[in-house]
Amino acid sequence: MIRNRRVVSRRTLLVGGLGLGVAGATVLAGCASGEAPEQTARLLPSAAPLPDRFSRPFAVPPVKRPTGKADGATRYEITQRAATVELLPGLRTEIMGYDGLLPGPTIKARRGERVIVRHRNELTVPTVTHLHGGHTPAASDGYPVDLVLPASGSYGHGHQSHTADGEITRGVRDYEYPHDQRAATLWYHDHRMDFTGPQVWRGLAGLHLITDDEEEALPLPGGDRDLPLLVMDRSFAADGSLAYPSLDPNLASIPGVIEDYSPGVLGDVVLVNGVPWPVLEVDAVRYRFRIVNASNARRYEFALDPPPPSGPAFVQVGSDGGLLAAPVEHNEIVAAPAERFDVVIDFAAYPVGTEVTMINKLGVGSTDAVLRFRVVRKAADDSAIPAKLSTIEPLRPGPDAPVREWRFIRERNEGRAHWRINGLDFDPGRMDAEPRLGEVEIWRFYSDLHHPVHVHLDPFQVIRRGNREQGRFDAGWKDTVDLRPWETVEVAVRFTDHAGRFVLHCHNLEHEDMMMMAAFRTLR
């Protein structure tokens, strides 16, 4: 392992990329071009013709098989490589994929099962893999400068300008996951400093599911009626390649996006599990859907059209950190990037033959819908939604609990706009907090625009949003919270088990790449 201690001189965010003209200022105020004002991002229109919606069948990502067991751990091997796939009919798209897939293969594990995933980098750029929502030791969490360099080629340290104090390997890295956490829907994705946005956009994302005895004892829908919905928006060039406004299309050394897209990048094609606007035939029974917003910057408001004749559209049974204490009914669900909503839809409320569309009420034009369900037959259903799902320990900060404030603000420096936390650009060698393991703290997030705030290592509980208690979508254990313009959200957090370096950041990936990230060190 190579340890790089090169001193980093922090650059301005983008090389000429964040100057604010009139159009840029309008977008940064929260209004997206061609989109609803509930987005802090800008639409990148596709040059390729958009496919017909609801014409391709729904697909489930393949489940990864382990390579074996050794030393008490289940082992997997995933190869990060380029591949050419058909995302748009008749066109070929080159992706960066885990095992050459978009999304990558799903890993399924049990609570307490020690898993080691060996990632091999056969791409042309460095990568870092983060298990989002994982209660993971620092060495395997995916610290943004813990790079895995390409296995072959001439790519070396000289191409990476921000590797202060990073643990760097060439070719392969083993990520160890103890899975000492509740059953939950997690996902893994690239986390390379300055280049997370384009590398996730090109395909480096996949599902990671944990189950346990408590979850399996519940009569929730299971088997082929328990389905993931990994939702991401993308844009395409005329030849079918993925369009993205990088300053450096090779992702080698110059980070960031061109000026107009500095607020965030929105695509005009909605993919569900890698398929544009798929259609799923369902029985007239309950289904469980694990919704993951894997988009770079897009917020969604999911609803059903037509709404069910009786009952709610969605019954939420889980959030980022697993099962809720009790089910929560929704007719709409607003999901910011990286949030997860585990929901049950009861198609028995619809007559056989009904077509039901999951729409996006924050979308415009092609992005106003996500997928379509066709209720094709009646069937037996032994599932149920119990009134009690789980027991959630409330985190109760004491009167002397530490209070930390994190301001997510766009600021100007030397004539340019910076996405910053507490007025500082991210520096991987600087620790901005040192919480002690086992202590409950209050973290107060403040925002100027839309910022989905993600905290690594442990989930938190939302205790206040503005001048009231939790919002409608804040129940349960969360690791990402939808922070809206000029809003303050307070959460209670307690870090456990793993001492070391971790980060919190905005999960609008363009903001993250442009320095809206902070490091903290947990202490024993």
Side-chain angles (χ1 to χ4, degrees):
M1 181 170 290
I2 308 163
R3 190 165 182 84
N4 188 329
R5 295 187 178 275
R6 180 156 39 131
V7 176
V8 175
S9 60
R10 303 308 297 156
R11 51 148 174 83
T12 51
L13 292 184
L14 299 177
V15 181
L18 274 175
L20 291 179
V22 175
T26 301
V27 172
L28 285 173
C31 298
S33 174
E35 288 287 342
E38 291 85 359
Q39 311 285 355
T40 298
R42 186 178 181 89
L43 180 66
L44 177 66
S46 290
L50 303 188
D52 293 336
R53 302 196 294 182
F54 320 125
S55 61
R56 298 183 63 182
F58 181 86
V60 178
V63 175
K64 185 72 174 178
R65 291 189 175 185
T67 57
K69 291 195 174 185
D71 301 324
T74 306
R75 294 182 175 267
Y76 295 86
E77 293 184 3
I78 291 177
T79 300
Q80 305 165 1
R81 61 181 177 86
T84 301
V85 299
E86 183 176 303
L87 299 177
L88 303 183
L91 294 175
R92 306 297 291 174
T93 301
E94 183 175 290
I95 65 164
M96 293 177 170
Y98 295 113
D99 284 348
L101 302 173
L102 191 165
T106 298
I107 290 180
K108 291 188 174 182
R110 292 193 63 81
R111 181 173 187 169
E113 178 186 10
R114 182 166 157 256
V115 166
I116 296 176
V117 183
R118 170 163 291 184
H119 278 267
R120 179 175 176 82
N121 181 2
E122 292 186 357
L123 298 166
T124 60
V125 296
T127 62
V128 176
T129 302
H130 170 55
L131 178 56
H132 186 117
H135 182 61
T136 304
S140 295
D141 185 62
Y143 199 69
V145 290
D146 287 350
L147 304 177
V148 181
L149 301 181
S152 60
S154 59
Y155 201 105
H157 299 164
H159 293 77
Q160 182 69 24
S161 57
H162 309 294
T163 55
D165 206 23
E167 296 285 355
I168 300 173
T169 63
R170 181 173 290 279
V172 298
R173 186 182 182 99
D174 288 347
Y175 294 87
E176 181 173 341
Y177 305 124
H179 290 133
D180 185 15
Q181 60 188 108
R182 306 168 76 236
T185 299
L186 313 184
W187 62 304
Y188 62 103
H189 60 81
D190 190 74
H191 210 260
R192 175 191 171 198
M193 181 174 166
D194 297 340
F195 294 92
T196 296
Q199 295 189 182
V200 172
W201 185 275
R202 295 189 188 190
L204 290 176
L207 292 161
H208 189 117
L209 309 179
I210 304 174
T211 190
D212 61 14
D213 293 341
E214 178 186 47
E215 179 185 54
E216 291 180 345
L218 296 175
L220 296 173
D224 59 4
R225 295 175 183 172
D226 178 357
L227 299 171
L229 303 180
L230 191 79
V231 182
M232 55 179 66
D233 59 331
R234 297 292 185 265
S235 297
F236 296 84
D239 62 359
S241 60
L242 284 164
Y244 186 83
S246 293
L247 287 175
D248 180 358
N250 295 321
L251 311 184
S253 58
I254 303 174
V257 293
I258 62 176
E259 177 181 336
D260 285 348
Y261 295 95
S262 60
V265 182
L266 303 176
D268 55 9
V269 176
V270 179
L271 303 175
V272 179
N273 299 341
V275 180
W277 300 289
V279 60
L280 173 64
E281 292 187 349
V282 295
D283 297 336
V285 298
R286 296 182 190 89
Y287 281 73
R288 177 180 180 179
F289 294 102
R290 301 166 183 264
I291 301 173
V292 180
N293 183 353
S295 299
N296 278 33
R298 181 178 293 278
R299 301 169 75 246
Y300 297 84
E301 184 174 357
F302 300 110
L304 297 182
D305 182 24
S310 61
F314 308 104
V315 178
Q316 184 185 357
V317 296
S319 60
D320 303 344
L323 293 169
L324 302 182
V328 179
E329 296 182 349
H330 302 288
N331 286 318
E332 301 88 18
I333 289 177
V334 176
E339 285 190 296
R340 281 93 70 211
F341 289 87
D342 195 341
V343 304
V344 173
I345 300 176
D346 188 358
F347 293 105
Y350 295 95
V352 171
T354 305
E355 291 193 336
V356 183
T357 303
M358 182 180 285
I359 62 173
N360 170 27
K361 297 175 76 171
L362 297 185
V364 175
S366 64
T367 63
D368 67 358
V370 179
L371 79 159
R372 177 165 290 170
F373 306 103
R374 290 183 182 145
V375 185
V376 295
R377 68 184 69 85
K378 293 184 177 181
D381 187 2
D382 60 358
S383 72
I385 304 174
K388 179 180 179 180
L389 297 166
S390 182
T391 299
I392 294 181
E393 173 201 3
L395 293 183
R396 303 187 188 280
D400 298 323
V403 179
R404 303 185 192 274
E405 296 195 353
W406 306 95
R407 293 179 294 107
F408 289 75
I409 303 290
R410 174 178 51 90
E411 298 181 343
R412 299 186 68 83
N413 181 43
E414 297 179 355
R416 294 175 178 171
H418 289 213
W419 298 101
R420 287 173 159 172
I421 299 177
N422 292 345
L424 299 172
D425 293 342
F426 175 59
D427 181 342
R430 183 190 70 237
M431 297 297 112
D432 293 322
E434 291 188 328
R436 292 202 169 273
L437 295 178
E439 292 187 358
V440 179
E441 299 194 352
I442 297 173
W443 284 22
R444 183 177 296 137
F445 305 129
Y446 174 77
S447 173
D448 58 347
L449 296 168
H450 291 102
H451 297 298
V453 177
H454 173 48
V455 178
H456 287 218
L457 179 56
D458 275 293
F460 50 78
Q461 294 174 6
V462 177
I463 55 178
R464 183 166 296 278
R465 184 179 284 271
N467 58 2
R468 62 188 189 281
E469 295 183 353
Q470 290 182 350
R472 288 188 299 149
F473 310 113
D474 294 334
W477 289 103
K478 300 283 292 176
D479 58 51
T480 306
V481 65
D482 184 14
L483 195 58
R484 295 168 300 198
W486 308 113
E487 187 173 51
T488 300
V489 173
E490 287 187 0
V491 307
V493 63
R494 179 182 60 200
F495 299 106
T496 60
D497 298 325
H498 305 303
R501 302 183 306 175
F502 299 90
V503 293
L504 71 152
H505 58 86
C506 177
H507 219 284
N508 177 321
L509 297 185
E510 284 69 52
H511 295 184
E512 175 186 340
D513 284 346
M514 294 181 285
M515 298 301 165
M516 195 165 258
M517 184 155 52
F520 63 93
R521 179 184 289 108
T522 52
L523 304 176
R524 296 194 185 279

